[in-house]
Structure formats: structure tokens, C-alpha cells
Amino acid sequence: MEEFKDIFPRGKENTAFAKYFVGQSYLNMLSTEQTVIGNVTFEPGCRNNWHIHHAKSGGGQILLCTGGRGYYQEWGKQPRELHQGDVVNIPAGVKHWHGAAPDSWFSHLAIEVSGEECKNEWCEPVSDDEYYKLK
């Protein structure tokens, strides 16, 4: 496994959202004013559950990948491998998950897109069968 170095400070174990993750993640909130931005770091094999960012208008999420190797997948579509420098635009209402590859750390900045009546819906975990089919 290659060495992993965070660009932004890693933050503490993500205990507040641990029930929505398989494996260990770390969260450092970089901004909670104007635009919410969190630095999320995933240990190898860690991924979040399927989830949806709902909004009456606007909303959604942008991921700016800052290190390691990970995956993003929308419901009903093939997974997309992610690397440092990749950008993922996730519209409101799209069921998806993201996290580290089985053999790599991964980090991204999670940016909440402003909107009206925004809320997250956490769904089922990504199954081990599904996850370990990734390359």
C-alpha cells in the first residue's frame, strides 16, 4: 500500500456519522459558514452508505478528491474510480455512495451546495459483495 499524506489536517475519528459508514473515517470541518466544507478521510476499505442529498431547489454535493484512490457510484450506474484532482458533481436527488478503494486511503473535500430545504437521507450500506467486486 502506498504512503498517504493528507493535504488538509485529517481531523478526528468521525464518530458523529459512524453509523453511516462501513470502516473508519475521519472528519475535519474546514468551513461551517457560507459554504459547508468537510475534509473526509477514509481508511482502506471504508465507504459511506448509499445516501441522497434532497433539496426543494439547488442543493447536492461536490467532491474534490485530494489524495489516495477511491470510488463514487450512482444508483444503477457503474462505479467511477477516483484519484487526486478528480471532481464529482452530485445533483440533489441522486442516490450514491463514495469511499476508499479496498487497498488505499482516500480523502476528499465534501462541499454542500446551497439550496432550499436541504437534508440528507441515509440509506442501506454498500454490501461487501458489491464493494469487493471493484478493481
Side-chain angles (χ1 to χ4, degrees):
M1 194 175 327
E2 64 187 62
E3 185 179 336
F4 181 82
K5 185 169 180 159
D6 288 303
I7 293 174
F8 294 95
R10 182 171 293 173
K12 297 181 179 175
E13 289 185 358
N14 187 6
T15 56
F17 293 93
K19 65 183 177 182
Y20 305 119
F21 285 74
V22 173
Q24 184 61 58
S25 68
Y26 303 84
L27 178 61
N28 179 14
M29 294 309 297
L30 302 176
S31 174
T32 56
E33 298 176 23
Q34 296 174 300
T35 300
V36 176
I37 304 171
N39 178 42
V40 185
T41 304
F42 302 80
E43 288 186 356
C46 179
R47 68 267 188 192
N48 54 30
N49 290 3
W50 289 98
H51 59 286
I52 305 165
H53 303 280
H54 294 284
K56 183 177 179 181
S57 66
Q61 186 177 52
I62 300 169
L63 306 178
L64 302 178
C65 304
T66 57
R69 186 169 67 90
Y71 287 93
Y72 166 78
Q73 184 177 15
E74 293 181 3
W75 189 261
K77 295 187 178 180
Q78 291 298 309
R80 173 182 164 193
E81 190 170 316
L82 301 174
H83 301 274
Q84 184 176 353
D86 287 340
V87 176
V88 181
N89 289 283
I90 307 165
V94 173
K95 187 174 182 179
H96 67 282
W97 69 270
H98 34 103
D103 60 350
S104 177
W105 284 79
F106 178 64
S107 63
H108 64 54
L109 299 183
I111 301 168
E112 291 184 23
V113 177
S114 296
E116 289 185 53
E117 298 180 27
C118 294
K119 64 178 180 160
N120 290 344
E121 175 188 356
W122 289 98
C123 306
E124 70 276 9
V126 176
S127 73
D128 284 346
D129 286 345
E130 227 176 335
Y131 179 75
Y132 287 108
K133 287 180 185 173
L134 300 170
K135 22 175 183 164

mmCIF file of all heavy atoms in Angstrom, residues 15-63:
data_model
loop_
_atom_site.group_PDB
_atom_site.id
_atom_site.type_symbol
_atom_site.label_atom_id
_atom_site.label_comp_id
_atom_site.label_asym_id
_atom_site.label_seq_id
_atom_site.Cartn_x
_atom_site.Cartn_y
_atom_site.Cartn_z
ATOM 1 N N THR A 15 -16.964 9.985 14.583
ATOM 2 C CA THR A 15 -17.908 9.250 15.428
ATOM 3 C C THR A 15 -19.348 9.723 15.239
ATOM 4 O O THR A 15 -20.279 8.939 15.373
ATOM 5 C CB THR A 15 -17.516 9.356 16.910
ATOM 6 O OG1 THR A 15 -17.431 10.740 17.270
ATOM 7 C CG2 THR A 15 -16.168 8.686 17.168
ATOM 8 N N ALA A 16 -19.533 11.009 14.909
ATOM 9 C CA ALA A 16 -20.885 11.562 14.764
ATOM 10 C C ALA A 16 -21.662 10.877 13.630
ATOM 11 O O ALA A 16 -22.880 10.748 13.704
ATOM 12 C CB ALA A 16 -20.821 13.061 14.521
ATOM 13 N N PHE A 17 -20.963 10.436 12.588
ATOM 14 C CA PHE A 17 -21.623 9.812 11.436
ATOM 15 C C PHE A 17 -21.208 8.353 11.263
ATOM 16 O O PHE A 17 -21.474 7.762 10.216
ATOM 17 C CB PHE A 17 -21.319 10.604 10.155
ATOM 18 C CG PHE A 17 -21.927 11.970 10.144
ATOM 19 C CD1 PHE A 17 -21.206 13.066 10.596
ATOM 20 C CD2 PHE A 17 -23.227 12.165 9.706
ATOM 21 C CE1 PHE A 17 -21.763 14.340 10.602
ATOM 22 C CE2 PHE A 17 -23.797 13.437 9.709
ATOM 23 C CZ PHE A 17 -23.063 14.517 10.167
ATOM 24 N N ALA A 18 -20.560 7.768 12.254
ATOM 25 C CA ALA A 18 -20.017 6.409 12.143
ATOM 26 C C ALA A 18 -21.075 5.380 11.735
ATOM 27 O O ALA A 18 -20.768 4.438 11.000
ATOM 28 C CB ALA A 18 -19.357 5.995 13.457
ATOM 29 N N LYS A 19 -22.319 5.576 12.149
ATOM 30 C CA LYS A 19 -23.351 4.590 11.817
ATOM 31 C C LYS A 19 -23.694 4.594 10.334
ATOM 32 O O LYS A 19 -24.375 3.685 9.854
ATOM 33 C CB LYS A 19 -24.606 4.798 12.672
ATOM 34 C CG LYS A 19 -25.338 6.095 12.429
ATOM 35 C CD LYS A 19 -26.520 6.227 13.386
ATOM 36 C CE LYS A 19 -27.217 7.556 13.214
ATOM 37 N NZ LYS A 19 -28.320 7.694 14.164
ATOM 38 N N TYR A 20 -23.227 5.597 9.586
ATOM 39 C CA TYR A 20 -23.493 5.676 8.153
ATOM 40 C C TYR A 20 -22.280 5.269 7.311
ATOM 41 O O TYR A 20 -22.253 5.494 6.106
ATOM 42 C CB TYR A 20 -23.908 7.102 7.767
ATOM 43 C CG TYR A 20 -25.085 7.612 8.551
ATOM 44 C CD1 TYR A 20 -24.974 8.738 9.350
ATOM 45 C CD2 TYR A 20 -26.313 6.959 8.502
ATOM 46 C CE1 TYR A 20 -26.057 9.217 10.069
ATOM 47 C CE2 TYR A 20 -27.403 7.440 9.224
ATOM 48 C CZ TYR A 20 -27.263 8.561 10.005
ATOM 49 O OH TYR A 20 -28.338 9.035 10.719
ATOM 50 N N PHE A 21 -21.272 4.686 7.952
ATOM 51 C CA PHE A 21 -20.042 4.266 7.282
ATOM 52 C C PHE A 21 -19.735 2.816 7.610
ATOM 53 O O PHE A 21 -20.009 2.350 8.708
ATOM 54 C CB PHE A 21 -18.855 5.114 7.748
ATOM 55 C CG PHE A 21 -18.824 6.503 7.178
ATOM 56 C CD1 PHE A 21 -19.697 7.482 7.629
ATOM 57 C CD2 PHE A 21 -17.910 6.842 6.195
ATOM 58 C CE1 PHE A 21 -19.669 8.770 7.111
ATOM 59 C CE2 PHE A 21 -17.868 8.128 5.667
ATOM 60 C CZ PHE A 21 -18.749 9.092 6.127
ATOM 61 N N VAL A 22 -19.125 2.116 6.658
ATOM 62 C CA VAL A 22 -18.513 0.818 6.904
ATOM 63 C C VAL A 22 -17.024 1.106 6.981
ATOM 64 O O VAL A 22 -16.439 1.627 6.023
ATOM 65 C CB VAL A 22 -18.810 -0.176 5.760
ATOM 66 C CG1 VAL A 22 -18.034 -1.461 5.959
ATOM 67 C CG2 VAL A 22 -20.298 -0.443 5.650
ATOM 68 N N GLY A 23 -16.386 0.851 8.119
ATOM 69 C CA GLY A 23 -14.977 1.166 8.305
ATOM 70 C C GLY A 23 -14.792 2.512 8.972
ATOM 71 O O GLY A 23 -15.754 3.174 9.358
ATOM 72 N N GLN A 24 -13.526 2.903 9.104
ATOM 73 C CA GLN A 24 -13.178 4.124 9.839
ATOM 74 C C GLN A 24 -12.967 5.307 8.906
ATOM 75 O O GLN A 24 -12.200 5.229 7.954
ATOM 76 C CB GLN A 24 -11.895 3.893 10.654
ATOM 77 C CG GLN A 24 -11.506 5.066 11.522
ATOM 78 C CD GLN A 24 -12.569 5.381 12.554
ATOM 79 O OE1 GLN A 24 -12.930 4.541 13.375
ATOM 80 N NE2 GLN A 24 -13.080 6.593 12.529
ATOM 81 N N SER A 25 -13.655 6.401 9.217
ATOM 82 C CA SER A 25 -13.447 7.657 8.506
ATOM 83 C C SER A 25 -13.070 8.732 9.526
ATOM 84 O O SER A 25 -13.272 8.566 10.727
ATOM 85 C CB SER A 25 -14.703 8.066 7.732
ATOM 86 O OG SER A 25 -15.750 8.415 8.609
ATOM 87 N N TYR A 26 -12.529 9.832 8.992
ATOM 88 C CA TYR A 26 -12.103 10.965 9.808
ATOM 89 C C TYR A 26 -12.709 12.221 9.201
ATOM 90 O O TYR A 26 -12.815 12.330 7.980
ATOM 91 C CB TYR A 26 -10.575 11.079 9.817
ATOM 92 C CG TYR A 26 -9.908 9.821 10.317
ATOM 93 C CD1 TYR A 26 -9.676 8.756 9.447
ATOM 94 C CD2 TYR A 26 -9.546 9.678 11.649
ATOM 95 C CE1 TYR A 26 -9.081 7.588 9.900
ATOM 96 C CE2 TYR A 26 -8.961 8.505 12.104
ATOM 97 C CZ TYR A 26 -8.734 7.463 11.220
ATOM 98 O OH TYR A 26 -8.157 6.305 11.665
ATOM 99 N N LEU A 27 -13.098 13.171 10.062
ATOM 100 C CA LEU A 27 -13.764 14.371 9.577
ATOM 101 C C LEU A 27 -13.138 15.621 10.198
ATOM 102 O O LEU A 27 -12.981 15.709 11.412
ATOM 103 C CB LEU A 27 -15.255 14.327 9.921
ATOM 104 C CG LEU A 27 -16.105 15.533 9.514
ATOM 105 C CD1 LEU A 27 -16.092 15.726 8.001
ATOM 106 C CD2 LEU A 27 -17.530 15.361 10.021
ATOM 107 N N ASN A 28 -12.794 16.568 9.329
ATOM 108 C CA ASN A 28 -12.317 17.877 9.757
ATOM 109 C C ASN A 28 -13.154 18.908 9.018
ATOM 110 O O ASN A 28 -13.024 19.062 7.806
ATOM 111 C CB ASN A 28 -10.835 18.061 9.420
ATOM 112 C CG ASN A 28 -10.322 19.426 9.845
ATOM 113 O OD1 ASN A 28 -10.958 20.148 10.604
ATOM 114 N ND2 ASN A 28 -9.155 19.779 9.344
ATOM 115 N N MET A 29 -14.021 19.590 9.750
ATOM 116 C CA MET A 29 -14.852 20.630 9.142
ATOM 117 C C MET A 29 -13.984 21.860 8.887
ATOM 118 O O MET A 29 -13.527 22.508 9.814
ATOM 119 C CB MET A 29 -16.044 20.970 10.035
ATOM 120 C CG MET A 29 -17.042 19.836 10.197
ATOM 121 S SD MET A 29 -17.604 19.108 8.638
ATOM 122 C CE MET A 29 -18.411 20.501 7.876
ATOM 123 N N LEU A 30 -13.758 22.157 7.602
ATOM 124 C CA LEU A 30 -12.922 23.283 7.210
ATOM 125 C C LEU A 30 -13.713 24.582 7.199
ATOM 126 O O LEU A 30 -13.155 25.649 7.422
ATOM 127 C CB LEU A 30 -12.301 23.035 5.835
ATOM 128 C CG LEU A 30 -11.449 21.767 5.723
ATOM 129 C CD1 LEU A 30 -10.975 21.588 4.293
ATOM 130 C CD2 LEU A 30 -10.266 21.828 6.681
ATOM 131 N N SER A 31 -15.023 24.487 6.907
ATOM 132 C CA SER A 31 -15.880 25.671 6.893
ATOM 133 C C SER A 31 -17.297 25.272 7.272
ATOM 134 O O SER A 31 -17.824 24.297 6.738
ATOM 135 C CB SER A 31 -15.894 26.310 5.498
ATOM 136 O OG SER A 31 -16.826 27.371 5.455
ATOM 137 N N THR A 32 -17.888 26.020 8.175
ATOM 138 C CA THR A 32 -19.302 25.829 8.510
ATOM 139 C C THR A 32 -20.066 27.132 8.271
ATOM 140 O O THR A 32 -21.232 27.225 8.605
ATOM 141 C CB THR A 32 -19.484 25.370 9.970
ATOM 142 O OG1 THR A 32 -18.852 26.314 10.833
ATOM 143 C CG2 THR A 32 -18.893 23.980 10.189
ATOM 144 N N GLU A 33 -19.401 28.123 7.708
ATOM 145 C CA GLU A 33 -20.023 29.403 7.383
ATOM 146 C C GLU A 33 -20.110 29.549 5.871
ATOM 147 O O GLU A 33 -19.240 29.059 5.151
ATOM 148 C CB GLU A 33 -19.193 30.551 7.961
ATOM 149 C CG GLU A 33 -19.093 30.507 9.479
ATOM 150 C CD GLU A 33 -18.196 31.592 10.026
ATOM 151 O OE1 GLU A 33 -17.992 32.607 9.344
ATOM 152 O OE2 GLU A 33 -17.696 31.412 11.142
ATOM 153 N N GLN A 34 -21.120 30.222 5.387
ATOM 154 C CA GLN A 34 -21.362 30.451 3.967
ATOM 155 C C GLN A 34 -21.519 29.132 3.212
ATOM 156 O O GLN A 34 -22.602 28.778 2.815
ATOM 157 C CB GLN A 34 -20.273 31.315 3.333
ATOM 158 C CG GLN A 34 -20.227 32.719 3.894
ATOM 159 C CD GLN A 34 -19.051 33.485 3.350
ATOM 160 O OE1 GLN A 34 -17.913 33.088 3.543
ATOM 161 N NE2 GLN A 34 -19.334 34.568 2.680
ATOM 162 N N THR A 35 -20.442 28.404 3.000
ATOM 163 C CA THR A 35 -20.492 27.105 2.342
ATOM 164 C C THR A 35 -19.872 26.079 3.275
ATOM 165 O O THR A 35 -18.766 26.284 3.779
ATOM 166 C CB THR A 35 -19.714 27.129 1.005
ATOM 167 O OG1 THR A 35 -20.308 28.112 0.157
ATOM 168 C CG2 THR A 35 -19.759 25.782 0.324
ATOM 169 N N VAL A 36 -20.574 24.973 3.497
ATOM 170 C CA VAL A 36 -20.076 23.920 4.387
ATOM 171 C C VAL A 36 -19.106 23.032 3.603
ATOM 172 O O VAL A 36 -19.449 22.513 2.541
ATOM 173 C CB VAL A 36 -21.245 23.089 4.962
ATOM 174 C CG1 VAL A 36 -20.726 21.933 5.809
ATOM 175 C CG2 VAL A 36 -22.175 23.984 5.779
ATOM 176 N N ILE A 37 -17.876 22.911 4.148
ATOM 177 C CA ILE A 37 -16.838 22.099 3.517
ATOM 178 C C ILE A 37 -16.204 21.221 4.581
ATOM 179 O O ILE A 37 -15.693 21.717 5.587
ATOM 180 C CB ILE A 37 -15.747 22.965 2.863
ATOM 181 C CG1 ILE A 37 -16.359 23.935 1.853
ATOM 182 C CG2 ILE A 37 -14.690 22.077 2.199
ATOM 183 C CD1 ILE A 37 -15.379 24.965 1.319
ATOM 184 N N GLY A 38 -16.224 19.925 4.350
ATOM 185 C CA GLY A 38 -15.592 18.988 5.262
ATOM 186 C C GLY A 38 -14.499 18.202 4.562
ATOM 187 O O GLY A 38 -14.673 17.767 3.425
ATOM 188 N N ASN A 39 -13.354 18.051 5.224
ATOM 189 C CA ASN A 39 -12.306 17.169 4.737
ATOM 190 C C ASN A 39 -12.598 15.781 5.302
ATOM 191 O O ASN A 39 -12.550 15.578 6.511
ATOM 192 C CB ASN A 39 -10.927 17.657 5.204
ATOM 193 C CG ASN A 39 -9.818 16.736 4.749
ATOM 194 O OD1 ASN A 39 -9.822 16.266 3.621
ATOM 195 N ND2 ASN A 39 -8.867 16.473 5.627
ATOM 196 N N VAL A 40 -12.925 14.843 4.415
ATOM 197 C CA VAL A 40 -13.264 13.485 4.834
ATOM 198 C C VAL A 40 -12.143 12.564 4.371
ATOM 199 O O VAL A 40 -11.778 12.552 3.196
ATOM 200 C CB VAL A 40 -14.609 13.015 4.233
ATOM 201 C CG1 VAL A 40 -14.987 11.642 4.787
ATOM 202 C CG2 VAL A 40 -15.707 14.033 4.504
ATOM 203 N N THR A 41 -11.599 11.807 5.318
ATOM 204 C CA THR A 41 -10.534 10.847 5.025
ATOM 205 C C THR A 41 -11.059 9.449 5.365
ATOM 206 O O THR A 41 -11.651 9.246 6.419
ATOM 207 C CB THR A 41 -9.270 11.161 5.848
ATOM 208 O OG1 THR A 41 -8.872 12.506 5.576
ATOM 209 C CG2 THR A 41 -8.142 10.210 5.504
ATOM 210 N N PHE A 42 -10.835 8.527 4.441
ATOM 211 C CA PHE A 42 -11.311 7.145 4.576
ATOM 212 C C PHE A 42 -10.111 6.208 4.686
ATOM 213 O O PHE A 42 -9.210 6.262 3.848
ATOM 214 C CB PHE A 42 -12.093 6.722 3.326
ATOM 215 C CG PHE A 42 -13.286 7.559 2.986
ATOM 216 C CD1 PHE A 42 -13.146 8.772 2.321
ATOM 217 C CD2 PHE A 42 -14.565 7.119 3.285
ATOM 218 C CE1 PHE A 42 -14.249 9.534 1.961
ATOM 219 C CE2 PHE A 42 -15.681 7.876 2.926
ATOM 220 C CZ PHE A 42 -15.516 9.084 2.277
ATOM 221 N N GLU A 43 -10.101 5.333 5.691
ATOM 222 C CA GLU A 43 -9.096 4.276 5.733
ATOM 223 C C GLU A 43 -9.390 3.288 4.603
ATOM 224 O O GLU A 43 -10.525 3.237 4.098
ATOM 225 C CB GLU A 43 -9.142 3.549 7.075
ATOM 226 C CG GLU A 43 -8.607 4.373 8.222
ATOM 227 C CD GLU A 43 -8.515 3.602 9.529
ATOM 228 O OE1 GLU A 43 -8.948 2.422 9.591
ATOM 229 O OE2 GLU A 43 -8.003 4.183 10.506
ATOM 230 N N PRO A 44 -8.403 2.486 4.202
ATOM 231 C CA PRO A 44 -8.673 1.480 3.165
ATOM 232 C C PRO A 44 -9.904 0.641 3.521
ATOM 233 O O PRO A 44 -10.077 0.229 4.670
ATOM 234 C CB PRO A 44 -7.403 0.626 3.168
ATOM 235 C CG PRO A 44 -6.334 1.570 3.625
ATOM 236 C CD PRO A 44 -7.014 2.441 4.658
ATOM 237 N N GLY A 45 -10.771 0.439 2.531
ATOM 238 C CA GLY A 45 -11.984 -0.348 2.727
ATOM 239 C C GLY A 45 -13.164 0.421 3.285
ATOM 240 O O GLY A 45 -14.271 -0.098 3.345
ATOM 241 N N CYS A 46 -12.961 1.657 3.705
ATOM 242 C CA CYS A 46 -14.046 2.450 4.289
ATOM 243 C C CYS A 46 -14.877 3.100 3.187
ATOM 244 O O CYS A 46 -14.343 3.618 2.210
ATOM 245 C CB CYS A 46 -13.474 3.520 5.214
ATOM 246 S SG CYS A 46 -14.734 4.578 5.958
ATOM 247 N N ARG A 47 -16.169 3.058 3.372
ATOM 248 C CA ARG A 47 -17.087 3.749 2.448
ATOM 249 C C ARG A 47 -18.331 4.152 3.221
ATOM 250 O O ARG A 47 -18.655 3.565 4.251
ATOM 251 C CB ARG A 47 -17.464 2.875 1.251
ATOM 252 C CG ARG A 47 -18.323 1.655 1.559
ATOM 253 C CD ARG A 47 -17.516 0.439 1.798
ATOM 254 N NE ARG A 47 -18.326 -0.780 1.904
ATOM 255 C CZ ARG A 47 -17.826 -1.911 2.345
ATOM 256 N NH1 ARG A 47 -16.574 -1.988 2.743
ATOM 257 N NH2 ARG A 47 -18.572 -2.989 2.401
ATOM 258 N N ASN A 48 -19.010 5.178 2.696
ATOM 259 C CA ASN A 48 -20.255 5.568 3.344
ATOM 260 C C ASN A 48 -21.422 4.780 2.740
ATOM 261 O O ASN A 48 -21.284 4.142 1.702
ATOM 262 C CB ASN A 48 -20.486 7.081 3.319
ATOM 263 C CG ASN A 48 -20.410 7.700 1.945
ATOM 264 O OD1 ASN A 48 -20.726 7.072 0.936
ATOM 265 N ND2 ASN A 48 -19.997 8.941 1.895
ATOM 266 N N ASN A 49 -22.544 4.822 3.422
ATOM 267 C CA ASN A 49 -23.753 4.157 2.938
ATOM 268 C C ASN A 49 -24.281 4.885 1.709
ATOM 269 O O ASN A 49 -23.959 6.051 1.474
ATOM 270 C CB ASN A 49 -24.847 4.191 4.017
ATOM 271 C CG ASN A 49 -24.545 3.303 5.201
ATOM 272 O OD1 ASN A 49 -23.505 2.674 5.294
ATOM 273 N ND2 ASN A 49 -25.481 3.267 6.137
ATOM 274 N N TRP A 50 -25.129 4.210 0.979
ATOM 275 C CA TRP A 50 -25.898 4.883 -0.056
ATOM 276 C C TRP A 50 -26.618 6.040 0.616
ATOM 277 O O TRP A 50 -27.084 5.911 1.763
ATOM 278 C CB TRP A 50 -26.917 3.922 -0.669
ATOM 279 C CG TRP A 50 -26.317 2.851 -1.523
ATOM 280 C CD1 TRP A 50 -26.050 1.563 -1.152
ATOM 281 C CD2 TRP A 50 -25.937 2.963 -2.894
ATOM 282 N NE1 TRP A 50 -25.508 0.878 -2.209
ATOM 283 C CE2 TRP A 50 -25.436 1.707 -3.298
ATOM 284 C CE3 TRP A 50 -25.968 4.006 -3.822
ATOM 285 C CZ2 TRP A 50 -24.970 1.471 -4.588
ATOM 286 C CZ3 TRP A 50 -25.504 3.769 -5.106
ATOM 287 C CH2 TRP A 50 -25.009 2.510 -5.477
ATOM 288 N N HIS A 51 -26.713 7.167 -0.049
ATOM 289 C CA HIS A 51 -27.416 8.311 0.522
ATOM 290 C C HIS A 51 -27.861 9.257 -0.581
ATOM 291 O O HIS A 51 -27.405 9.172 -1.718
ATOM 292 C CB HIS A 51 -26.565 9.041 1.569
ATOM 293 C CG HIS A 51 -25.260 9.564 1.084
ATOM 294 N ND1 HIS A 51 -24.165 8.757 0.814
ATOM 295 C CD2 HIS A 51 -24.856 10.832 0.824
ATOM 296 C CE1 HIS A 51 -23.152 9.506 0.410
ATOM 297 N NE2 HIS A 51 -23.548 10.775 0.406
ATOM 298 N N ILE A 52 -28.775 10.155 -0.208
ATOM 299 C CA ILE A 52 -29.352 11.118 -1.136
ATOM 300 C C ILE A 52 -29.336 12.491 -0.478
ATOM 301 O O ILE A 52 -29.738 12.636 0.681
ATOM 302 C CB ILE A 52 -30.816 10.737 -1.485
ATOM 303 C CG1 ILE A 52 -30.899 9.313 -2.027
ATOM 304 C CG2 ILE A 52 -31.400 11.745 -2.485
ATOM 305 C CD1 ILE A 52 -32.314 8.745 -2.047
ATOM 306 N N HIS A 53 -28.883 13.488 -1.224
ATOM 307 C CA HIS A 53 -28.960 14.877 -0.778
ATOM 308 C C HIS A 53 -30.228 15.464 -1.400
ATOM 309 O O HIS A 53 -30.283 15.670 -2.610
ATOM 310 C CB HIS A 53 -27.728 15.668 -1.228
ATOM 311 C CG HIS A 53 -26.448 15.071 -0.756
ATOM 312 N ND1 HIS A 53 -25.958 15.245 0.526
ATOM 313 C CD2 HIS A 53 -25.555 14.266 -1.377
ATOM 314 C CE1 HIS A 53 -24.833 14.594 0.661
ATOM 315 N NE2 HIS A 53 -24.553 13.985 -0.484
ATOM 316 N N HIS A 54 -31.235 15.673 -0.579
ATOM 317 C CA HIS A 54 -32.507 16.215 -1.056
ATOM 318 C C HIS A 54 -32.492 17.734 -0.960
ATOM 319 O O HIS A 54 -31.836 18.306 -0.087
ATOM 320 C CB HIS A 54 -33.669 15.685 -0.212
ATOM 321 C CG HIS A 54 -33.903 14.226 -0.349
ATOM 322 N ND1 HIS A 54 -34.501 13.667 -1.446
ATOM 323 C CD2 HIS A 54 -33.624 13.187 0.494
ATOM 324 C CE1 HIS A 54 -34.588 12.359 -1.288
ATOM 325 N NE2 HIS A 54 -34.060 12.040 -0.119
ATOM 326 N N ALA A 55 -33.239 18.394 -1.835
ATOM 327 C CA ALA A 55 -33.421 19.850 -1.766
ATOM 328 C C ALA A 55 -34.662 20.225 -2.559
ATOM 329 O O ALA A 55 -34.954 19.614 -3.595
ATOM 330 C CB ALA A 55 -32.204 20.583 -2.325
ATOM 331 N N LYS A 56 -35.377 21.214 -2.081
ATOM 332 C CA LYS A 56 -36.516 21.742 -2.827
ATOM 333 C C LYS A 56 -36.013 22.418 -4.108
ATOM 334 O O LYS A 56 -36.601 22.288 -5.169
ATOM 335 C CB LYS A 56 -37.289 22.734 -1.956
ATOM 336 C CG LYS A 56 -38.519 23.294 -2.606
ATOM 337 C CD LYS A 56 -39.272 24.202 -1.654
ATOM 338 C CE LYS A 56 -40.506 24.777 -2.326
ATOM 339 N NZ LYS A 56 -41.218 25.684 -1.411
ATOM 340 N N SER A 57 -34.891 23.139 -3.992
ATOM 341 C CA SER A 57 -34.210 23.698 -5.163
ATOM 342 C C SER A 57 -32.729 23.809 -4.821
ATOM 343 O O SER A 57 -32.357 23.920 -3.653
ATOM 344 C CB SER A 57 -34.775 25.071 -5.541
ATOM 345 O OG SER A 57 -34.494 26.018 -4.537
ATOM 346 N N GLY A 58 -31.872 23.770 -5.844
ATOM 347 C CA GLY A 58 -30.429 23.791 -5.611
ATOM 348 C C GLY A 58 -29.998 22.518 -4.918
ATOM 349 O O GLY A 58 -30.539 21.444 -5.164
ATOM 350 N N GLY A 59 -29.047 22.650 -4.024
ATOM 351 C CA GLY A 59 -28.598 21.515 -3.232
ATOM 352 C C GLY A 59 -27.671 20.575 -3.978
ATOM 353 O O GLY A 59 -27.208 20.867 -5.071
ATOM 354 N N GLY A 60 -27.386 19.456 -3.350
ATOM 355 C CA GLY A 60 -26.455 18.484 -3.885
ATOM 356 C C GLY A 60 -25.108 18.600 -3.190
ATOM 357 O O GLY A 60 -24.983 19.196 -2.108
ATOM 358 N N GLN A 61 -24.094 18.034 -3.818
ATOM 359 C CA GLN A 61 -22.768 17.983 -3.201
ATOM 360 C C GLN A 61 -21.713 17.982 -4.300
ATOM 361 O O GLN A 61 -21.957 17.490 -5.403
ATOM 362 C CB GLN A 61 -22.649 16.708 -2.349
ATOM 363 C CG GLN A 61 -21.382 16.590 -1.543
ATOM 364 C CD GLN A 61 -21.381 15.329 -0.684
ATOM 365 O OE1 GLN A 61 -21.618 14.232 -1.176
ATOM 366 N NE2 GLN A 61 -21.117 15.483 0.600
ATOM 367 N N ILE A 62 -20.547 18.524 -3.980
ATOM 368 C CA ILE A 62 -19.384 18.465 -4.857
ATOM 369 C C ILE A 62 -18.263 17.808 -4.069
ATOM 370 O O ILE A 62 -18.017 18.162 -2.905
ATOM 371 C CB ILE A 62 -18.949 19.867 -5.319
ATOM 372 C CG1 ILE A 62 -20.075 20.553 -6.091
ATOM 373 C CG2 ILE A 62 -17.676 19.777 -6.173
ATOM 374 C CD1 ILE A 62 -19.820 22.030 -6.359
ATOM 375 N N LEU A 63 -17.592 16.840 -4.681
ATOM 376 C CA LEU A 63 -16.426 16.205 -4.080
ATOM 377 C C LEU A 63 -15.181 16.656 -4.827
ATOM 378 O O LEU A 63 -15.125 16.538 -6.059
ATOM 379 C CB LEU A 63 -16.528 14.684 -4.156
ATOM 380 C CG LEU A 63 -17.781 14.025 -3.589
ATOM 381 C CD1 LEU A 63 -17.718 12.526 -3.788
ATOM 382 C CD2 LEU A 63 -17.968 14.382 -2.127
#
